[in-house]
Amino acid sequence: MGEPPPAPRTRPGTFARAWAKAVSGTSYLPMPQAQLEALLQRLTDQLAGALQAEPFDLRPGHRVGAELVANHIASAEGLGRTVEVVQLRLVRDLGLVADDVEDRMARLLAAVATGYARALRDRTLDEQESIRRAVMAARTQAERALRASEARFRHQATHDSLTELPNRALFTERLTAALNEPGRGAERLGLCFLDLDRFKVVNDSLGHQVGDRLLTMVSSRLRRALDGHLVARIGGDEFVVLVERTGGTADVVAVADTALAAVCEPALVDGHELCVTASIGIVEQQVAGTTPGDLMRAADATLHWAKAAGGARWEVYDADRNGRERARYALSAAIPAALDRGEFYLEYQPLTSLRDGRLLGVEALVRWRHPELGVLRPDSFIGLAEETGLIVPLGGWVLAEACREAERWSGRGAPAPFVSVNLAVRQVHRPDLVQEVRALLKRTGLPPERLQLEITESTMMSTTEEPVKALRVLADLGVRIAIDDFGTGYSNLAYLRDLPVTELKVAGEFVAGLRAPAAEPTRRTDERILASLVSLAHALDLTVTAEGVETAGQAERLRAIGCDAGQGWHFGRPAPAERILERIG
Ligand code: C2E
Ligand code: CA
Ligand code: CA
């Protein structure tokens, strides 16, 4: 057995126990009573030693104060009770004898209080410090988390989730930065605006999943092939490539060629071998004097040229062409106001019988008396009105006006001619076409047999059944239906059998061939084509009108072939309604 563990030098005496009793309860004490008494006994010894030491030293007092705080006797009340019990009992309980013990006691207690206060302050500072550190650590962590989520958020905001390519926002940001880079004004840059051809067909026929995979595949091919250029996805199947530095158009054309080659490689998606092509609009120009918006609009317009030219190609932006198209757009946008102001009027062109020269009908042809541009022919505004949909109100006016005027041609000696009105595809596809025509006939009093509707072959070839049903209802009412410009479209006679058609209008191109000398082989071919067309039409109970008849010779050939009627300068140019009245009268 060795020495017992270090123990308090003295067992807790009366004073230490009284002290312990005084302070317990003043603050939370994390130790049992016995341990507290032992501690206070040690401190009692130190205080007693200090009171008697020569020379008198305040430092043990400081230490006692500090130790009390270190042992969590750290409340203001704990100090108060300590001072009280030491002052009242220490000298008496321990039977101390010293010179000027009263004075020493006062200074010693002051030292205890000082040590106590300092320790308490230090501990508070420590606590504050650790709180501050904890706050800092928490803040750093929060900031890091925030930065991580900001980065994630920024990535999401600037990238397309399907393909992971940069999106329009990031593209615009980069383009803006490239345009605003100081000192770059004289340099050039380029854009390729790429759109897949007929992507909708893939989506509609094979499903969106296949469509999505195809887009992902195209994206990664573009990214790989155009390494070094920013490739962004800015819409369903629309991509744009930024060529930040170019030496001229050729550089961007090379990028476009690479992109087209990358896209058109066959792709195996879900067991389907897909061959897609793309169209590209190219803009290449000096950095100075342009904006991201200008560039994107120009590239977009150019993309449409590439599409209109059949796709699978690029086109380069041409400012003059764009100017002309914008003028056309402006013209078409002016149509509603022009309708309100009554700037449109109709001319009528005779449809003449090749058998007896009788006036069978007239075709209504729209004219625009434009306040600045003079009288405009339909070719300059009908096409665009069809694209923009403004053909619906315009065509509606033409139909109503033609019926209104034609009604007045009746009641004279000769049988009144029918009026033949051109209907655009959009008009035929309108669900209320039948109702509109019926109401019109009722309002104007024009008999149905005196109205003919001219529609093109492509309108009839539509994939939906509705337009055909509508035309059948109209035909049943007695309205005549003619196929316009026959021969320029599908020229498929087989489908005519099932359609409610009364008449074929053979396009002027075929008739033009009849002008050539009789010996010329092309003339003989055209004549043979026309002859077989006429006999086929007759077999289907259709009448045939030849368009663009300019000479008596052509009229004679057509009559010999068996053509029923003719239209063209030879019979009469388009003219105002009064002139038609003269011919009837
Ligand atoms: P279209 O239906 O084929 O009309 C015949 C066009 O040929 C008319 O041109 C007419 O003036 C022209 N023409 C007549 N005879 C001859 C001839 O002997 N030789 C030549 N070279 N041309 C002749 P226009 O009036 O300029 O009309 C052009 C096209 O505009 C029309 O072609 C028609 O597709 C369209 N259009 C005219 N009015 C309307 C309308 O009210 N609605 C719709 N949707 N289209 C219309
Ligand atoms: Ca026509
Ligand atoms: Ca025609």
Side-chain angles (χ1 to χ4, degrees), residues 346 349 363-367 377-379 382 386 391 395 398 421-424 427 454 484-485 505 547-550 567-570 572 574:
L346 297 181
Q349 187 174 30
E363 177 173 1
L365 296 162
V366 68
R367 305 309 181 224
R377 297 276 305 271
D379 287 338
I382 287 288
E386 281 177 352
I391 192 67
V398 170
V421 179
N422 293 286
L423 277 200
Q427 290 176 277
E454 294 192 15
D484 200 3
D485 300 335
K505 294 188 76 180
E547 296 184 324
V549 184
E550 295 183 352
Q567 173 182 9
W569 299 342
H570 171 66

Side-chain angles (χ1 to χ4, degrees), residues 33-57:
Q33 190 68 18
Q35 201 182 331
L36 175 66
E37 287 174 2
L39 165 73
L40 294 181
Q41 181 59 53
R42 195 157 51 77
L43 299 185
T44 303
D45 292 346
Q46 287 181 24
L47 288 174
L51 277 176
Q52 293 171 300
E54 279 308 334
F56 181 60
D57 185 357

Side-chain angles (χ1 to χ4, degrees), residues 348-431:
Y348 298 91
Q349 187 174 30
L351 303 167
T352 308
S353 165
L354 287 172
R355 279 189 214 106
D356 54 17
R358 203 161 57 82
L359 180 69
L360 302 173
V362 291
E363 177 173 1
L365 296 162
V366 68
R367 305 309 181 224
W368 182 351
R369 195 177 289 110
H370 193 282
E372 284 136 39
L373 304 172
V375 172
L376 298 178
R377 297 276 305 271
D379 287 338
S380 62
F381 58 88
I382 287 288
L384 216 77
E386 281 177 352
E387 279 173 44
T388 58
L390 287 170
I391 192 67
V392 173
L394 176 59
W397 176 84
V398 170
L399 190 60
E401 178 70 0
C403 291
R404 190 182 67 78
E405 292 199 294
E407 197 277 328
R408 300 188 290 133
W409 303 334
S410 57
R412 308 202 175 216
F418 62 82
V419 66
S420 195
V421 179
N422 293 286
L423 277 200
V425 192
R426 286 217 197 217
Q427 290 176 277
V428 180
H429 282 250
R430 269 163 55 96

Side-chain angles (χ1 to χ4, degrees), residues 472-554:
R472 191 160 286 136
V473 174
L474 290 172
D476 287 345
L477 280 180
V479 174
R480 308 165 54 96
I481 310 284
I483 303 281
D484 200 3
D485 300 335
F486 190 83
T488 58
Y490 299 86
S491 306
N492 181 354
L493 278 165
Y495 76 93
L496 288 177
R497 200 181 37 212
D498 307 320
L499 295 176
V501 174
T502 342
E503 168 158 315
L504 290 189
K505 294 188 76 180
V506 178
E509 289 101 281
F510 290 94
V511 180
L514 300 184
R515 287 185 80 157
E520 196 120 324
T522 54
R523 160 160 169 186
R524 262 183 282 144
T525 316
D526 276 351
E527 213 170 312
R528 247 180 259 139
I529 292 174
L530 268 174
S532 54
L533 225 151
V534 168
S535 57
L536 265 165
H538 284 168
L540 292 164
D541 262 344
L542 305 172
T543 56
V544 179
T545 298
E547 296 184 324
V549 184
E550 295 183 352
T551 66
Q554 283 173 311

